[in-house]
Amino acid sequence: MILITMLFNFEIGFGDDIMTYEQIKNNSDVKTYITQADASLIALGYTEHSFAHVTHVAEMAGYILETLGFSGRMVELAKIAGYLHDIGNLVNRVEHSQSGAVMAFRILNELNFPAEEIAIITTAIGNHDEGTGLPVNELAAALILADKSDVRRSRVRNRDITKFDIHDRVNYSVTKSELKINEEYTSIKLKLHIDTHYGSVMDYFEIFMNRMILCRKAAEKLGLQFKLMINEQQLV
């Protein structure tokens, strides 16, 4: 919390020696790790966790902190954490958040990030998974919300509808997804439109209930209420 407060109160200048989100995106090693991590998940039959997913998570985490008035550098760190958050799948899907945090530590350290920024980013990555993670700081909270809200049809790799598992059905059923903070800065709403020909609302809750509980905790860390609407009905 002390580190977060320091970065919130004091804007860090963007000089030649300050690494940016765009530089991380263009780093060849990072690209390799993300590509191979997703290749492992392809082999395991998981939905898309490649550049589309990590870019979406990065931009959404940045949007959350920017909208809430955090410093420009904190927004940048949120984007970096979002982009790196799933590289641990390179090692193994099990406990990928923790292995990803260790990998991110090494990457950022070699790129000469300040220790304070490495600490915040690795903490967020290590706590983004619903199995073991918690929103221990505001950046972690933003990352959780950004990651768990990325449900969309284009994440489904399997093109044979007859062979869909429940994760395929739920993601494929979501034809529209939006995560937005209200104008009063009191709530953050995940709004989904589900085509019930492919998946039901109950299917969604069967596999995502723990994620929604974690999203509620993350929203509370940011001083917000979490709301979930599916097909114009508020469910949380």
Side-chain angles (χ1 to χ4, degrees):
M1 188 67 181
I2 294 174
L3 294 177
I4 292 290
T5 303
M6 288 171 60
L7 286 172
F8 177 80
N9 290 331
F10 300 99
E11 181 78 37
I12 298 175
F14 286 85
D16 293 337
D17 58 339
I18 300 296
M19 293 291 293
T20 66
Y21 165 57
E22 289 299 323
Q23 288 174 299
I24 294 296
K25 284 181 67 176
N26 292 321
N27 183 280
S28 60
D29 290 345
V30 170
K31 289 180 180 179
T32 298
Y33 299 148
I34 292 172
T35 299
Q36 187 55 54
D38 189 52
S40 296
L41 295 186
I42 291 174
L44 294 171
Y46 278 77
T47 53
E48 183 266 326
H49 284 71
S50 189
F51 295 102
H53 172 62
V54 299
T55 299
H56 174 89
V57 173
E59 298 292 340
M60 188 56 62
Y63 153 77
I64 292 170
L65 292 193
E66 183 176 24
T67 302
L68 294 177
F70 282 77
S71 73
R73 187 57 182 168
M74 274 295 292
V75 172
E76 199 78 355
L77 297 185
K79 291 180 179 180
I80 292 170
Y83 201 75
L84 297 176
H85 81 282
D86 266 344
I87 58 174
N89 287 304
L90 176 70
V91 179
N92 197 293
R93 179 60 180 174
V94 178
E95 297 183 350
H96 73 281
S97 57
Q98 288 89 343
S99 55
V102 174
M103 289 179 64
F105 178 93
R106 180 174 180 180
I107 293 168
L108 300 175
N109 188 56
E110 290 182 348
L111 292 173
N112 296 316
F113 272 70
E116 293 84 359
E117 295 187 355
I118 294 174
I120 294 169
I121 292 171
T122 55
T123 296
I125 293 174
N127 279 279
H128 83 269
D129 187 67
E130 66 271 16
T132 56
L134 289 169
V136 294
N137 58 40
E138 289 88 343
L139 199 153
L143 176 57
I144 287 167
L145 286 162
D147 181 39
K148 305 314 170 191
S149 64
D150 188 19
V151 186
R152 51 187 162 82
R153 177 168 291 186
S154 57
R155 294 195 70 183
V156 178
R157 307 183 205 267
N158 183 3
R159 296 307 173 197
D160 186 348
I161 295 176
T162 65
K163 296 181 179 179
F164 276 2
D165 63 14
I166 189 170
H167 289 85
D168 292 332
R169 291 201 307 273
V170 168
N171 278 276
Y172 196 83
S173 71
V174 177
T175 59
K176 186 177 181 180
S177 173
E178 181 183 31
L179 183 69
K180 190 173 183 179
I181 296 172
N182 67 352
E183 293 182 357
E184 294 76 26
Y185 309 110
T186 57
S187 68
I188 184 166
K189 180 186 295 183
L190 176 57
K191 189 174 182 180
L192 304 175
H193 185 274
I194 289 180
D195 183 342
T196 55
H197 289 94
Y198 299 103
S200 69
V201 174
M202 285 305 298
D203 282 342
Y204 180 88
F205 277 104
E206 181 178 341
I207 63 173
F208 288 150
M209 176 62 79
N210 288 339
R211 298 184 189 185
M212 295 302 96
I213 292 172
L214 187 58
C215 282
R216 184 183 65 190
K217 293 177 181 178
E220 291 171 353
K221 184 68 177 181
L222 293 165
L224 303 170
Q225 288 185 322
F226 177 71
K227 296 183 179 180
L228 173 65
M229 291 191 70
I230 298 180
N231 294 349
E232 302 302 327
Q233 298 294 317
Q234 183 170 320
L235 302 176
V236 175

